[in-house]
Amino acid sequence: MCAAIRKAVIPAAGLGTRFLPVTRSVPKELLPILDRPMLQYVVEEAAEAGITDVIVVTSPGKEGIAEYFRPRPDLETRLSDDAQLLEKVRSGANLADVSFVIQEEPLGLGHAVLTAREAVGAEPFAVILPDDIVDHSPGVLSQMMAAVAGEDGAAAVAVERVPWELVQNYGVVDSEPAGEGRHRVRGMVEKPPPGTAPSNLSIVGRYLLPPQVFDCLERTPPGARGEIQLTDGLALLMEDVAVYACEFEGIRYDGGNPLGLLRASIEHALKRDDTRDAAADLVRRLAAEL
Ligand code: UTP
């Protein structure tokens, strides 16, 4: 992946069924870890990796997502004498140039990425799933870019090791080692039946992709539920370009389900200067009562 990556696609057009009923009106991607939406965390990660253009894929009914990134002059006027609050109000809008494309129907992650084809154009780009949160500096995208620097035209996917007994719940790669924390991918298997997994390297929602992936996604047949899967598109891409799996530093939180988001919130509260002590007291008290 030689050329610098300037653009990132953030698919945010899913139904969020695991968070019903709240997702009837609040997009999952805007649910907060403490006080910041998950979407904000991943836009920050993209900006930190040098990405200047963020393309968010949304859907009809999730207008709140675009709303979040709109300037709020009314609020800024009201809070004009409080620098800290002003900074918070502006934090969403200032990180990158954020634009939106609409996926009319939730036809899968691969289809969501394909929806962004025109906005991305003919250049390599990143894909970031906003419900996979990794709190680490440097961020996962930066780490992946470093891991494949100089690999002309290659693609990359982030992976983390999961316990073998849980591997059937994840998408995993079939790969061989290709350097420190890096693997050359031969294939990908979604939720392998017990005892059949080719590795315990599970796929995390960060990808670096060359523009050829769009042609692959066009050729990808829909799967069981009529959805076009990104991993199926990557299987086709693998015929033409090298795909690497990159392990990364940092803990991944699964913000795609309520308990995962709760865990992320508690652990973030325990790390943040302004909440650490009160959060630790709370956790100790709750633990003592169990
Ligand atoms: P998920 O697989 O978590 O699906 O999508 P989901 O629909 O959001 O949630 P559940 O499973 O019904 O609870 C991972 C990411 O891909 C986006 C989602 O918005 C989420 O950010 N996505 C998924 C799309 O943009 N379009 C789709 O068709 C599917």
Side-chain angles (χ1 to χ4, degrees):
M1 188 66 56
C2 236
I5 295 187
R6 300 181 305 127
K7 296 186 177 178
V9 174
I10 302 183
L15 295 177
T17 54
R18 285 168 291 168
F19 273 105
L20 279 170
V22 67
T23 42
R24 279 168 50 89
S25 63
V26 182
K28 172 176 78 174
E29 298 75 11
L30 292 183
L31 294 176
I33 293 174
L34 291 183
D35 47 9
R36 281 148 67 219
M38 287 193 274
L39 195 51
Q40 169 95 22
Y41 284 85
V42 294
V43 173
E44 282 171 11
E45 182 184 323
E48 186 249 8
I51 282 172
T52 54
D53 291 47
V54 169
I55 300 144
V56 183
V57 184
T58 67
S59 57
K62 294 181 92 170
E63 288 76 18
I65 290 180
E67 196 65 40
Y68 179 76
F69 290 99
R70 233 166 254 145
R72 286 292 305 270
D74 55 326
L75 213 46
E76 290 189 25
T77 308
R78 233 170 226 290
L79 303 173
S80 56
D81 54 359
D82 188 325
Q84 264 188 336
L85 288 181
L86 264 186
E87 201 189 304
K88 285 188 182 178
V89 171
R90 291 176 180 151
S91 59
N94 285 348
L95 290 165
D97 187 347
V98 182
S99 61
F100 304 91
V101 296
I102 306 285
Q103 185 189 24
E104 292 292 342
E105 281 184 86
L107 295 177
L109 182 55
H111 182 266
V113 172
L114 193 51
T115 308
R117 180 173 200 161
E118 208 175 308
V120 171
E123 56 182 290
F125 64 104
V127 173
I128 316 176
L129 301 196
D131 48 8
D132 269 344
I133 303 292
V134 182
D135 186 25
H136 192 272
S137 183
V140 183
L141 273 193
S142 290
Q143 295 181 47
M144 291 170 76
M145 288 176 183
V148 294
E151 299 286 351
D152 212 3
V157 51
V159 289
E160 68 167 0
R161 290 203 184 271
V162 293
W164 280 99
E165 62 275 18
L166 298 179
V167 93
Q168 71 253 31
N169 303 317
Y170 295 92
V172 293
V173 294
D174 177 5
S175 61
E176 60 193 46
E180 178 73 23
R182 201 175 82 159
H183 312 262
R184 178 75 187 256
V185 181
R186 285 186 293 241
M188 296 180 183
V189 191
E190 200 50 51
K191 298 193 169 68
T196 66
S199 79
N200 66 340
L201 291 167
S202 90
I203 298 168
V204 174
R206 302 289 184 275
Y207 306 83
L208 303 179
L209 300 171
Q212 296 98 299
V213 75
F214 291 121
D215 283 338
C216 299
L217 288 168
E218 294 272 13
R219 287 191 282 130
T220 303
R225 287 182 296 162
E227 296 185 350
I228 296 176
Q229 299 302 343
L230 183 56
T231 44
D232 293 339
L234 293 185
L236 291 178
L237 183 70
M238 230 173 284
E239 293 171 7
D240 297 329
V241 310
V243 177
Y244 290 98
C246 305
E247 293 183 69
F248 56 86
E249 301 280 328
I251 300 172
R252 170 213 174 226
Y253 297 102
D254 180 3
N257 68 84
L259 272 182
L261 187 63
L262 178 65
R263 179 185 164 205
S265 293
I266 292 170
E267 295 200 16
H268 275 70
L270 289 169
K271 267 193 260 176
R272 238 167 73 166
D273 287 347
D274 60 334
T275 50
R276 183 184 300 117
D277 292 346
D281 276 351
L282 176 67
V283 171
R284 270 191 224 104
R285 211 157 12 93
L286 291 175
E289 284 167 15
L290 283 180

